[in-house]
Amino acid sequence: MTQDPDMSVQPWMKDEGSVESPETPRPLVDTVVTGTMISRNFKNVLVVSIGFLSLFTAYGGLQSLQSSLNAEEGMGVASLSVIYASIIISSMFLPPIMIKNLGCKWTIVVGMACYVSYSVGNLYPGWYTLIPTSFILGLGGSPLWSAKCTYLTISGNIQAARDGKKGSDVINHYFGIFFFIFQSSAVWGNLMSSLIFGQDTAIADIPEEALASCGAADCGLDISVNSTTTRPAQRLVWTLVGCYIGVGVLAMIIIAVFLDNIDQEQTSQFRENREPFWHTFLATFRLLKDWRLLTLIPLTMYSGFEQSFLSGEYTKNYVTCALGIHFVGFVMMCFGASNSLFSFLFGRISRYTGRAPLFLLAALANLSCIIALLLWRPDPDQLPVFFVFPALWGMADAIWQTQTNSLYGVLFPREKEAAFANYRMWESLGFVIAFAYSTFLCLEYKLYILLAVLVLTVITYPVVEYYEHKNPTEPVEEGAYDNHKEALEEKSDGIIAQTKI
């Protein structure tokens, strides 16, 4: 039987009042629009992820080395403290102002430029170069991350509305993809440092008396007796930092050239119909009236505590002390690989398990590691054990990062900029506190503090999760994002409509 050639176009040429039968095929033009929309959204997620991968290949590698590379007078740890203190300051007012005026895309580019300045400061590290560039990095850090989270949340909500799916599921999936790619930056950044520093001819064996001060056995405040903490040759440091500057600039180019400016129309409207400055300035603080955000503060701060412990304390008091600075990169590569793999995995399975079981798994993993680190006495002969801890820590961190970011996007869909600014502010406060007591508390006490914050997190987070289960937050409807004029123009070309924040 031959099909009438006109049948394929009749359904979508009917009058508005006509009724189609259930068997009427879906209009071809809608399928084209949806298919192109999927590829465009997915492309943007990949561009953001690859840009952050390149940027944090540089910054992540430098952060892991600061406590060992610039150990003189605690300069490296002090620079990290300034970074996160500066992020707290910028979180208070910069993200809403920058995102609404520049849009997500150009806010990301400006933030990346601030990160590159810190790499430049490490060419000639000193108090007059590291501290100012640390402050600049911090100012750009909160807008950078808030813009990224806002961008992925908008894209996820659009995709969910178009596909008839739950917004939280698509947002979870997008954050899983992002962190899968982003967390692998720890692999590449630390691989670069290990390969370059491995060329140092001054690598020495660890004397037995130095091993006695490693881990939580001793106070763990002074490991200067360990000859392996000697700074590598200056030419190797310049080679490494030069590579880091290059990949940082590459990240800016990737975002500037390939990322779609999805909120360009809305930023123009905001500048034309500007809200009072103080209304935008205080957006971050106004959200603190929401008890759910206040209850999530321990969870958010713990993210800063646990990340700072691995990059600052574990690398210095276990790896550098017992194995040497040239092993820091290899150990952190294990952390990055584990983090990347589990970020993708948990982003996929969270739609089936929900957030709560994953948070429980992360808490149990960190709890077991903390107890083991209190008891373990690191020895070079136990080389595999040095990699077990970062592997487990990476799995737990994958959950803390993907699920907490997703949770903020789900709970505060209409105040995304302010919500993610609060996220960066409280997470950074955890970093600042941890780095601040790093130089005058014994390692044993640092582990106890980490354990206490973890316990507080396990107590407070379920309250918010239970309330959200009983009273689900309504996602932002597609209509709240679509610009009607843009939608009409873009549908004719078969691509996605512009969106607003």
Side-chain angles (χ1 to χ4, degrees), residues 160-183:
R162 294 282 183 165
D163 292 350
K165 297 180 179 179
K166 287 179 62 178
S168 59
D169 289 342
V170 180
I171 293 171
N172 259 326
H173 179 51
Y174 280 0
F175 275 107
I177 293 172
F178 170 80
F179 281 104
F180 167 65
I181 297 174
F182 162 73
Q183 295 291 9

Side-chain angles (χ1 to χ4, degrees), residues 62 69 119-120 122-123 236-246:
L62 281 175
L69 189 62
S119 297
V120 175
N122 273 267
L123 281 173
L236 297 179
V237 176
W238 281 339
T239 300
L240 179 64
V241 176
C243 293
Y244 284 162
I245 293 174

Side-chain angles (χ1 to χ4, degrees), residues 451-483:
L451 179 61
V453 180
L454 176 60
V455 171
L456 183 61
T457 296
V458 171
I459 294 173
T460 55
Y461 158 71
V463 176
V464 177
E465 193 66 72
Y466 179 77
Y467 181 84
E468 177 65 15
H469 176 71
K470 293 295 184 181
N471 306 276
T473 302
E474 288 294 326
V476 174
E477 297 294 332
E478 179 188 1
Y481 290 105
D482 285 343
N483 180 293

Side-chain angles (χ1 to χ4, degrees), residues 47 105-106 109 112 250-260:
V47 171
K105 173 180 177 176
W106 295 111
V109 173
M112 286 181 166
L250 176 63
M252 296 173 60
I253 295 173
I254 290 172
I255 298 297
V257 174
F258 297 106
L259 188 65
D260 291 334

Side-chain angles (χ1 to χ4, degrees), residues 269-410:
Q269 292 176 2
F270 176 80
R271 289 192 295 267
E272 293 171 2
N273 306 303
R274 185 177 298 277
E275 297 175 351
F277 174 78
W278 286 104
H279 185 272
T280 307
F281 180 87
L282 297 175
T284 303
F285 295 101
R286 284 202 309 274
L287 198 58
L288 288 172
K289 296 178 181 179
D290 193 320
W291 70 268
R292 297 174 301 169
L293 182 65
L294 294 175
T295 310
L296 287 177
I297 288 177
L299 167 65
T300 312
M301 289 184 63
Y302 179 75
S303 177
F305 275 97
E306 57 93 8
Q307 291 180 76
S308 63
F309 177 83
L310 191 78
S311 63
E313 305 300 338
Y314 183 76
T315 56
K316 177 183 178 182
N317 294 292
Y318 290 89
V319 182
T320 301
C321 184
L323 299 177
I325 192 173
H326 57 288
F327 262 96
V328 170
F330 293 118
V331 169
M332 294 303 291
M333 282 170 58
C334 180
F335 167 78
S338 172
N339 206 326
S340 176
L341 175 63
F342 283 107
S343 292
F344 179 76
L345 177 63
F346 293 139
R348 298 285 292 182
I349 69 173
S350 61
R351 71 184 66 178
Y352 307 110
T353 63
R355 289 181 297 268
L358 295 180
F359 276 125
L360 177 61
L361 175 62
L364 291 175
N366 279 162
L367 176 63
S368 62
C369 286
I370 292 171
I371 295 173
L373 288 171
L374 283 167
L375 302 174
W376 181 48
R377 300 297 175 255
D379 190 290
D381 294 333
Q382 303 170 339
L383 185 62
V385 182
F386 288 88
F387 293 88
V388 171
F389 288 105
L392 290 174
W393 212 272
M395 180 197 71
D397 186 64
I399 296 174
W400 299 124
Q401 298 301 314
T402 59
Q403 300 307 308
T404 307
N405 275 277
S406 174
L407 180 61
Y408 270 75
V410 170

